[in-house]
Amino acid sequence: MTDHKIHVYLMPGMAANPSIFRHIQLPESNFEQHLLEWFVPEKNMSFSEYALEMSKKISHENPVLLGVSFGGMLVQEMAKYVSAKKVIVVSSVKHESELPKRMLFAKYTKIHKLLPTGIINNVELLAKYAFGETVTKRLALYEEYLSLRDKYYIDWSIDQIVNWKQSYCPDCMVHIHGEKDNVFPIGNIKDCIPVKNGTHTMIIHRAKWFNEHLPTIILQ
């Protein structure tokens, strides 16, 4: 029997688990959703090697790869190993030139090595790193979403972000970005679908927008 459905693989942002996609509901008649999860990298593992390992979890041909924030960077790396129907990056960047100045500054000064990631079990601090916002009003929510609190993984992730070099931009790529993203300001972003009032966490808080627009974006 021929599988007529489009398989959509969803990759969350740094330290987040797939529950951030809980409210993303694509029509089951045309789409099947699959959730990917971060794992702690082996020591000295490159971003490319990590992407290769993650791509082994893709079990369908010609899938859609959707990644949020750092996960958006990862699915672009995975697209070098997986022939994708579409690569969708959300609240992310496509090139190092789209990184904010503070991250470029960190790249050259190595100041990110001094971040207090040893106290990463502090959810408020982790949310600041991962989501770029304070979470006092939604602390319980973020305690659920931000479940990977391994220090090596966090250090590795931050280092991969600030040192990311991307020269490959697949023709099938679509970039969706919030106009009020305070982690990756939209002023640095080129060629994207803007989401009015969308923040860095809009995959959670603006799920209705994605449910309305993603089917069309995927099928275009």
Side-chain angles (χ1 to χ4, degrees):
M1 182 177 174
T2 304
D3 185 359
H4 67 279
K5 291 188 179 182
I6 296 172
H7 294 272
V8 183
Y9 285 80
L10 304 170
M11 187 74 223
M14 185 183 86
N17 61 57
S19 66
I20 68 166
F21 299 114
R22 179 180 298 143
H23 301 297
I24 301 300
Q25 298 172 337
L26 302 176
E28 293 182 2
S29 55
N30 294 325
F31 304 96
E32 187 170 332
Q33 296 174 209
H34 306 271
L35 302 176
L36 296 172
E37 292 192 58
W38 293 103
F39 60 88
V40 178
E42 295 177 10
K43 193 167 184 180
N44 300 319
M45 194 175 207
S46 71
F47 198 27
S48 180
E49 290 169 337
Y50 192 98
L52 176 59
E53 200 61 33
M54 186 66 77
S55 69
K56 294 176 183 177
K57 302 179 187 298
I58 306 297
S59 55
H60 300 90
E61 292 184 3
N62 210 30
V64 172
L65 304 178
L66 184 151
V68 177
S69 192
F70 184 38
M73 297 180 184
L74 179 61
V75 295
Q76 290 174 68
E77 294 293 326
M78 290 169 64
K80 298 173 183 177
Y81 303 107
V82 175
S83 179
K85 174 183 178 65
K86 194 149 286 188
V87 178
I88 302 174
V89 299
V90 177
S91 308
S92 189
V93 297
K94 305 181 293 296
H95 188 271
E96 61 183 293
S97 63
E98 295 184 337
L99 291 169
K101 288 181 180 178
R102 70 179 183 279
M103 292 188 186
L104 295 174
F105 176 76
K107 174 181 177 179
Y108 293 109
T109 63
K110 308 297 183 188
I111 197 169
H112 61 289
K113 302 281 190 182
L114 303 178
L115 289 171
T117 54
I119 54 173
I120 212 66
N121 277 321
N122 179 325
V123 176
E124 291 185 47
L125 180 63
L126 181 55
K128 194 71 177 173
Y129 287 168
F131 290 156
E133 60 182 55
T134 54
V135 298
T136 48
K137 292 182 180 177
R138 297 191 289 262
L139 189 57
L141 191 68
Y142 286 114
E143 281 183 334
E144 175 189 353
Y145 290 143
L146 297 170
S147 58
L148 185 46
R149 303 177 194 173
D150 180 88
K151 175 176 165 48
Y152 182 78
Y153 164 80
I154 299 296
D155 287 340
W156 178 87
S157 298
I158 294 170
D159 199 49
Q160 300 309 316
I161 292 168
V162 301
N163 288 295
W164 193 51
K165 288 185 178 297
Q166 177 64 305
S167 57
Y168 173 78
C169 187
D171 294 335
C172 60
M173 189 156 77
V174 177
H175 189 167
I176 304 172
H177 211 82
E179 292 182 348
K180 293 186 176 180
D181 192 310
N182 60 351
V183 174
F184 301 122
I186 198 168
N188 297 331
I189 306 298
K190 300 176 180 64
D191 302 321
C192 72
I193 298 172
V195 178
K196 188 175 182 180
N197 296 321
T199 65
H200 195 65
T201 55
M202 64 182 181
I203 195 71
I204 300 169
H205 305 302
R206 298 291 302 278
K208 184 179 177 182
W209 185 97
F210 286 92
N211 290 338
E212 289 175 355
H213 292 88
L214 272 180
T216 302
I217 290 170
I218 290 171
L219 293 170
Q220 281 177 342

